[in-house]
Amino acid sequence: TLSLSGNSLIGNANLITKVYFPRIILPVTPALVGLVDFAIGFLLFIGLMVYYQLALSWKLLLWPVLMIPLMLFTSGLGTLLSAMNVKYRDIKYAVPFIIQLLLFATPVIYPASAVPERFRWLISLNPLTGLIEAFRAVCLPERPLDWSALGISLGVTLCLAVISVIYFNKAEGYFSDIV
């Protein structure tokens, strides 16, 4: 989603220069497509849980709610990267590197509990940490939901979304000239 969002303005340069429309649609669209894909994956996940007779918990109702900040994060970061990519063309080469750094800085392949206690505050500044841990807690009934990490993730995600929209709106004036 970040790769598609980051390159969305450059990839649609002919559309930007010919017709005026709300250009923020271009980097947000891949996040919406990813949201549909994620929802389909959730339905398959529920089907597998039923097939393997795993206990369905009330916490599964939080899954659609958690998808909203995840989409907000990806669309916010994608919007910021797409606006920066118009002016600084090397951003498209840095995006895969940024994604790889986010993968290792986020507890995807390891739990957040594997990080020493003194560094947990640092890893909790990553907005994906609280979200991924919340998705884990939703899927595993015996795992508690860490509301403080989720709250930090929501706060950082909202700040990122606001900053990216402000930057995008300021940069939008020169898109058609530079593209």
Side-chain angles (χ1 to χ4, degrees):
T1 299
L2 287 178
S3 296
L4 293 173
S5 290
N7 294 323
S8 63
L9 295 176
I10 300 299
N12 293 304
N14 56 352
L15 187 61
I16 291 173
T17 56
K18 295 196 178 8
V19 178
Y20 179 77
F21 62 97
R23 294 182 175 117
I24 201 162
I25 291 172
L26 293 174
V28 171
T29 302
L32 293 173
V33 171
L35 186 66
V36 171
D37 187 34
F38 202 64
I40 293 170
F42 174 64
L43 292 176
L44 290 173
F45 176 71
I46 294 294
L48 287 172
M49 285 184 77
V50 169
Y51 178 77
Y52 287 108
Q53 299 172 351
L54 297 174
L56 297 175
S57 170
W58 66 269
K59 290 193 293 184
L60 281 173
L61 296 174
L62 291 176
W63 187 287
V65 175
L66 290 172
M67 286 173 47
I68 295 168
L70 184 63
M71 194 218 49
L72 188 64
F73 172 76
T74 54
S75 62
L77 189 56
T79 299
L80 183 66
L81 290 173
S82 68
M84 291 174 67
N85 193 18
V86 171
K87 189 171 186 180
Y88 309 107
R89 296 298 171 105
D90 291 338
I91 293 290
K92 72 178 176 180
Y93 301 113
V95 167
F97 181 69
I98 292 169
I99 292 170
Q100 193 169 24
L101 278 178
L102 278 174
L103 176 68
F104 290 114
T106 305
V108 174
I109 55 175
Y110 59 91
S113 59
V115 176
E117 188 67 39
R118 63 177 188 232
F119 296 120
R120 289 224 183 115
W121 69 271
L122 187 62
I123 198 168
S124 68
L125 292 177
N126 180 350
L128 290 175
T129 298
L131 287 172
I132 296 227
E133 288 296 313
F135 276 113
R136 280 190 183 134
V138 164
C139 295
L140 304 171
E142 70 277 353
R143 193 169 196 158
L145 193 59
D146 187 359
W147 291 102
S148 62
L150 184 59
I152 291 171
S153 291
L154 292 175
V156 173
T157 297
L158 286 174
C159 288
L160 174 70
V162 168
I163 289 169
S164 64
V165 168
I166 289 170
Y167 181 77
F168 190 89
N169 286 337
K170 285 185 179 184
E172 188 176 14
Y174 62 76
F175 284 168
S176 59
D177 297 334
I178 295 177
V179 172

